[in-house]
């Protein structure tokens, strides 16, 4: 979609899991990253907060269509 000029909101969980993976003492990641982080509740809350913020940011743009 981005190649066609549409605004795109990238998957937040990818960047969050990358950060968690890069920590020296992080557990090996499983298929479900929530199961592999040090504090799953905090990770999940951060993910939810980030997704809500992405939605709010998309609502506040002048774009008529935003892809998530």
């Amino acid at each position: 979609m981005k190649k066609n000029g549409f605004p795109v909101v990238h998957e937040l969980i990818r960047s969050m899991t990358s950060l968690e993976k890069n920590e020296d003492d992080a557990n090996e990641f499983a298929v479900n990253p929530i199961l592999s982080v040090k504090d799953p509740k905090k990770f999940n809350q951060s993910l939810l907060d980030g997704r809500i913020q992405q939605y709010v940011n998309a609502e506040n743009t002048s774009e008529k269509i935003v892809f998530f």
Side-chain angles (χ1 to χ4, degrees):
M1 302 313 278
K2 189 174 183 174
K3 288 180 184 179
N4 292 325
F6 292 102
V8 174
V9 176
H10 296 280
E11 295 178 59
L12 183 59
I13 196 166
R14 290 184 188 268
S15 60
M16 290 177 67
T17 54
S18 290
L19 290 173
E20 189 80 21
K21 277 187 208 180
N22 289 334
E23 292 185 9
D24 294 335
D25 58 348
N27 297 329
E28 186 176 329
F29 268 59
V31 174
N32 182 350
I34 299 294
L35 300 175
S36 302
V37 295
K38 288 182 231 172
D39 186 347
K41 185 176 179 182
K42 182 180 175 185
F43 182 87
N44 204 30
Q45 186 62 54
S46 295
L47 179 59
L48 177 61
D49 293 343
R51 286 181 173 165
I52 290 170
Q53 189 60 53
Q54 286 178 324
Y55 179 78
V56 169
N57 292 347
E59 271 192 325
N60 294 328
T61 68
S62 60
E63 301 292 339
K64 293 182 180 181
I65 298 173
V66 177
F67 290 94
F68 289 83

